[in-house]
Amino acid sequence: MTLHAFVDESVRSRYILCAAVVPTASLGDVRRLARELCLPGQRRWHFKSESDRRRRLILDALVRRPDIRVTLYIGRGKRPRVRAECLVTLATDLIDHGVSQLVIESQDGQDRLDRQCLLETLHKAGANLGYRHARPYEEPGLWLPDAFAWAYGTAGEWRRRIAPSIDRIRDLGDLC
């Protein structure tokens, strides 16, 4: 079974990089679900802008899908270093789990650093993992890690709500 991973971040007191992994065969259904959860006239949903009622509705719909699996990478320290360490660990895990495609939310100024980090990681591992950056309005799959990272970072009810979808939490500790 081939897999796709979608990656986004959330920054709170800790840095959270979230990977939502979906079997390639389920991509069409998952993207359709994401679009169906948009309000009329809404180009995409973004968790920091949604009401709590909508957040519950969206998270419940995502968690009901057993084909959406989540891994969270958590670190503390200066953002460029923490992101790089989380991304290296994430890429290594994805390679080990047979993920064939990685889509990362594009962020101005960050994409080049991500590519450099991924190239080095893939070269060291002697692995082939396709990856690209995309804007959230271009790829509904990126809405998934946005939702899961937000819910995990907010904790409480939100973290409990997504617990069934979380496969692993990788706490990388302090990365000063």
Side-chain angles (χ1 to χ4, degrees):
M1 167 177 32
T2 60
L3 303 167
H4 272 63
F6 300 94
V7 174
D8 193 12
E9 68 180 6
S10 181
V11 182
R12 306 287 176 91
S13 59
R14 300 179 297 171
Y15 179 86
I16 302 167
L17 193 66
C18 178
V21 178
V22 178
T24 304
S26 299
L27 281 176
D29 290 341
V30 169
R31 287 174 174 142
R32 190 170 20 265
L33 171 65
R35 286 187 194 101
E36 288 171 357
L37 291 167
C38 285
L39 293 171
Q42 195 177 29
R43 194 173 181 188
R44 64 167 286 212
W45 37 268
H46 189 223
F47 251 56
K48 74 176 187 178
S49 306
E50 298 295 333
S51 69
D52 284 351
R53 182 179 165 284
R54 292 255 314 130
R55 289 175 179 139
R56 286 182 190 95
L57 175 87
I58 293 167
L59 288 174
D60 289 350
L62 297 178
V63 169
R64 276 194 300 270
R65 299 242 7 164
D67 52 355
I68 300 173
R69 306 306 309 156
V70 174
T71 301
L72 298 153
Y73 300 83
I74 301 168
R76 287 168 291 288
K78 295 188 188 221
R79 187 174 180 280
R81 174 140 190 251
V82 172
R83 181 175 173 96
E85 291 295 328
C86 287
L87 193 58
V88 166
T89 305
L90 175 144
T92 303
D93 286 353
L94 295 179
I95 292 164
D96 291 346
H97 288 94
V99 172
S100 60
Q101 286 293 315
L102 168 62
V103 182
I104 305 168
E105 182 170 335
S106 183
Q107 295 181 16
D108 296 331
Q110 184 62 51
D111 295 2
R112 182 183 59 77
L113 296 171
D114 287 351
R115 280 191 296 275
Q116 181 180 349
C117 181
L118 287 168
L119 280 171
E120 289 173 16
T121 303
L122 295 173
H123 180 72
K124 281 182 189 175
N128 186 19
L129 171 66
Y131 63 90
R132 67 183 173 93
H133 287 86
R135 299 277 182 203
Y137 61 84
E138 299 169 330
E139 175 52 75
L142 289 170
W143 309 349
L144 310 178
D146 172 72
F148 286 110
W150 182 92
Y152 186 84
T154 302
E157 166 201 349
W158 303 107
R159 191 176 290 176
R160 284 189 298 278
R161 192 170 288 273
I162 64 167
S165 295
I166 297 175
D167 278 344
R168 191 170 186 194
I169 299 168
R170 301 281 311 261
D171 191 332
L172 305 180
D174 292 316
L175 302 165
C176 298

